[in-house]
């Protein structure tokens, strides 16, 4: 059974003289524990699709048609508060810019603890312990010290590790990663991708990995959807799709 089902998704923007259809008739599913890669050129509609699934499509963009189901239930029509809860508890997110997920004004530990405590009944003390364990798990050295530092005190790669810890801290069933390494030095991109993949596997989370980088998909994904001009041009097992000329 599918964890996530996207059916005939259509995303529109109003324009001066009509409507721009940015995503059109996009359908796919993600099974529990699976890594689905979504590739395509810039402007193909990948990010809009990822954002729309989790209710973060920014106006004036809007879902004009289609449905999104998570564990068999529609989520495209949920009220804001319910979607927000779902994003914290069941669906983790990793974006290109770590500061989309991390608030620069709070210590990283505070943000992990706040997220853990919002979605579990852990005590402050237990949540802090869990936050330190998570930082260790994503490869942050000296986590007992780093837990009390602010996001700007981390390098880009380390900050993205913190974001991954934040995305995984309540054991989501799905992680949506949108160009998670594009802003990082090439030398650390592969490390972050393999970390993301390993951790999601360990935590039993499926991944929707949005990237323009076919190499990343070849290394990481089970299946791949190729988007072109707002549509899915091709979808299938990664070996089949990538083998084609
Ligand atoms: P990708 O992630 O594949 O690079 P996006 O999903 O970000 O592509 O965007 C797909 C297309 O949607 C863009 O090429 C553009 O035409 C349209 N689009 C995205 N954001 C906006 C916006 N804020 N206003 C108008 N059109 C937009
Ligand atoms: P809050 O009132 O706590 O900011 P939001 O619904 O804005 O509630 O945020 C819920 C989660 O979604 C947070 O983890 C936040 O970082 C993330 N989030 C909110 N808006 C965006 C966005 N436009 N892009 C990416 N992540 C977002």
């Amino acid at each position: 059974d599918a964890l996530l089902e996207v059916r005939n998704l259509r995303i529109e923007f109003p324009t001066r003289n009509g409507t721009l259809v940015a995503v059109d008739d996009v359908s796919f599913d993600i099974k529990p524990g699976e890594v689905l890669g979504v590739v395509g050129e810039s402007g193909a509609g990948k990010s809009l699709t990822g954002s729309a699934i989790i209710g973060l499509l920014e106006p004036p963009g809007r879902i004009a048609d289609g449905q999104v189901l998570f564990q068999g239930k529609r989520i495209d029509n949920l009220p804001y508060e319910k979607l927000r809860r779902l994003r914290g508890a069941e669906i983790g997110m990793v974006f290109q810019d770590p500061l989309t997920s991390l608030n620069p004004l709070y210590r990283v530990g505070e943000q992990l603890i706040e997220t853990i405590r919002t979605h579990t009944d852990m005590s402050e003390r237990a949540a802090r312990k869990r936050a330190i364990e998570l930082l260790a798990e994503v490869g942050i050295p000296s986590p007992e010290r780093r837990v009390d530092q602010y996001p700007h005190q981390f390098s880009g790669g380390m900050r993205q590790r913190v974001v991954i810890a934040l995305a995984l801290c309540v054991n989501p069933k799905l992680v949506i990663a949108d160009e998670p390494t594009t802003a990082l030095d090439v030398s650390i991109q592969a490390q972050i991708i393999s970390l993301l993949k390993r951790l999601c596997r360990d935590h039993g989370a499926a991944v929707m990995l949005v990237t323009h980088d076919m190499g990343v998909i070849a290394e990481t994904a089970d299946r791949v959807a190729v988007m072109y001009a707002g549509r899915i041009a091709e979808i299938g097992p990664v070996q089949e799709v990538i083998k084609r000329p």
Side-chain angles (χ1 to χ4, degrees), residues 51 54 56-58 80-81 83-84 87-88 93 95 99-103 114-115 166:
S51 304
I54 48 182
L56 292 176
L57 183 63
E58 285 179 19
Y80 180 80
E81 271 308 314
L83 252 178
R84 212 175 83 152
R87 283 206 291 274
M93 299 172 291
F95 295 97
L99 295 180
T100 306
S101 309
L102 288 173
N103 188 328
E114 153 85 17
T115 305
L166 193 63

Side-chain angles (χ1 to χ4, degrees), residues 72-110:
K73 296 206 181 82
R74 276 188 76 172
I75 60 168
D76 55 282
N77 54 4
L78 284 182
Y80 180 80
E81 271 308 314
K82 291 207 166 153
L83 252 178
R84 212 175 83 152
R85 185 164 296 268
L86 191 73
R87 283 206 291 274
E90 311 256 18
I91 304 180
M93 299 172 291
V94 180
F95 295 97
Q96 175 172 342
D97 178 1
L99 295 180
T100 306
S101 309
L102 288 173
N103 188 328
L105 302 178
Y106 295 97
R107 298 168 203 274
V108 303
E110 290 174 315

Side-chain angles (χ1 to χ4, degrees), residues 188-208:
I188 54 175
Q189 289 182 2
Q191 285 173 29
I192 298 292
I193 290 289
S194 64
L195 174 75
L196 182 67
K197 182 174 179 179
R198 178 169 59 78
L199 288 179
C200 289
R201 197 177 50 215
D202 293 353
H203 287 248
V207 187
M208 175 175 165

Side-chain angles (χ1 to χ4, degrees), residues 30-41:
I30 301 181
K31 298 184 177 49
E34 173 180 59
V35 180
L36 176 75
V38 179
V39 283
E41 300 172 358

Side-chain angles (χ1 to χ4, degrees), residues 19-40:
T19 304
L20 180 139
V21 180
V23 168
D24 195 12
D25 201 22
V26 162
S27 300
F28 62 89
D29 59 19
I30 301 181
K31 298 184 177 49
E34 173 180 59
V35 180
L36 176 75
V38 179
V39 283

Side-chain angles (χ1 to χ4, degrees), residues 167-202:
L168 288 170
C169 71
V170 287
N171 290 316
K173 298 196 177 70
L174 174 66
V175 171
I176 298 187
D178 188 351
E179 302 281 7
T181 62
T182 306
L184 302 177
D185 284 352
V186 172
S187 59
I188 54 175
Q189 289 182 2
Q191 285 173 29
I192 298 292
I193 290 289
S194 64
L195 174 75
L196 182 67
K197 182 174 179 179
R198 178 169 59 78
L199 288 179
C200 289
R201 197 177 50 215
D202 293 353

